[in-house]
Amino acid sequence: MTITSTTLENSDFAASLSVSSDHPRASLAADVATELANLGPSGAPKQIWLEEAHDSDTAILEHLATPYRDLLQLRRPLPAPPSGLLTRAFDPSTDAEAFFAVNNRAFAWHPEQSGFDQARLDDAMAEPWFNPQGFRILELDGVMAGFCWTKLHQELTPVIGEIYVIAIDPDFHGRGLGGPMTLAGLEWMSDQGITVANLYVEADNAPALATYDRLGFSTHSINRAFTTAK
Ligand SMILES: CC(C)(COP(=O)(O)OP(=O)(O)OC[C@H]1O[C@@H](n2cnc3c(N)ncnc32)[C@H](O)[C@@H]1OP(=O)(O)O)[C@@H](O)C(=O)NCCC(=O)NCCS
């Protein structure tokens, strides 16, 4: 049970609190109020992320902050049906620029995933979970049309395979590629012996939700963000 706080730069928020799912609800409002007070007065609002939020939690925090964003965790068992797309592994030496271009065009609207650059790629590649084989690339007509980047959570039992980042280049949207691209990532996970897949998706991302719903994903939990802005 924890509440951690991070001060933010280049953000709409001065700081972000993260409340773990097992934090006792009886003391939730008082503990969040204390953490907010510890961060001190500031012009910019603060953000609070509540892991595995329930509607009753929203009422508990009502006098402190307002919910403004839901991140759904979806899950489905594996194996899934075959993708049918021919994909290949990511090659950091030749794919980086095309990956940044596709990612940054597809996620131009996204607060965290937009503006991906070499420094962020280097950080990700230094993580123990990084595996270029699990970062599936789709090329069509000689250009990168999309990717499905997966992450295996070896620290969990059973190991969960995450669709970590997935995008189809906007030039290729609406051609029915989102589903098979997701399945390409799921297929790679199944080949590694993974039996459960998850992913996180914004609750208002209609094209992504339609894609995942069609593939048999269902909601496992909701992480809810609140803002102290009035
Ligand atoms: C999500 C994404 C990968 C889907 O790829 P795509 O190539 O657009 O997929 P499709 O052509 O199969 O369309 C997906 C579904 O969205 C629907 N759709 C498309 N635009 C839509 C819109 N604006 N509102 C509602 N639904 C929409 C399509 O009708 C389709 O639904 P259906 O299968 O029930 O017919 C792609 O839209 C994308 O890269 N988005 C930006 C990045 C992103 O959000 N990634 C997912 C993060 S979790």
Side-chain angles (χ1 to χ4, degrees):
M1 69 176 197
T2 49
I3 301 183
T4 51
S5 72
T6 316
T7 50
L8 300 176
E9 284 169 20
N10 305 321
S11 167
D12 294 340
F13 297 101
S16 185
L17 295 185
S18 179
V19 183
S20 70
S21 55
D22 58 353
H23 197 90
R25 272 25 190 180
S27 63
L28 181 64
D31 295 343
V32 168
T34 303
E35 288 293 332
L36 289 174
N38 288 344
L39 287 167
S42 156
K46 284 134 195 157
Q47 170 180 248
I48 302 151
W49 271 107
L50 199 55
E51 286 177 9
E52 299 189 20
H54 300 279
D55 287 344
S56 51
D57 301 330
T58 302
I60 292 173
L61 292 180
E62 194 171 48
H63 65 289
L64 292 170
T66 312
Y68 77 97
R69 183 176 167 195
D70 274 0
L71 195 58
L72 312 183
Q73 183 193 169
L74 309 187
R75 289 192 180 184
R76 69 147 287 153
L78 297 178
S83 160
L85 285 181
L86 189 61
T87 64
R88 61 168 175 80
F90 177 73
D91 181 344
S93 63
T94 53
D95 286 332
E97 291 302 328
F99 159 60
F100 302 148
V102 172
N103 181 89
N104 295 344
R105 279 157 51 78
F107 284 106
W109 51 277
H110 195 281
E112 288 95 24
Q113 189 57 30
S114 55
F116 210 97
D117 59 12
Q118 189 65 49
R120 286 175 67 180
L121 180 60
D122 289 343
D123 285 349
M125 289 197 303
E127 294 286 340
W129 54 262
F130 181 78
N131 181 349
Q133 294 296 327
F135 190 162
R136 306 308 301 170
I137 301 295
L138 173 67
E139 277 182 336
L140 293 176
D141 307 332
V143 297
M144 190 183 291
F147 62 85
C148 182
W149 188 357
T150 67
K151 181 194 230 182
L152 303 189
H153 290 270
Q154 301 286 355
E155 75 283 7
L156 300 175
T157 309
V159 176
I160 291 185
E162 181 181 347
I163 302 284
Y164 176 55
V165 194
I166 179 168
I168 297 292
D169 187 277
D171 282 351
F172 291 86
H173 280 182
R175 298 192 196 178
L177 291 171
M181 191 75 246
T182 310
L183 290 172
L186 298 181
E187 203 168 294
W188 184 81
M189 291 177 195
S190 287
D191 289 347
Q192 314 311 305
I194 306 299
T195 56
V196 185
N198 77 348
L199 58 84
Y200 292 86
V201 58
E202 305 288 338
D204 61 358
N205 188 344
L209 286 169
T211 300
Y212 303 142
D213 186 50
R214 191 177 280 266
L215 297 182
F217 278 90
S218 58
T219 303
H220 176 77
S221 60
I222 301 174
N223 291 348
R224 179 161 295 153
F226 296 75
T227 171
T228 60
K230 297 290 177 227

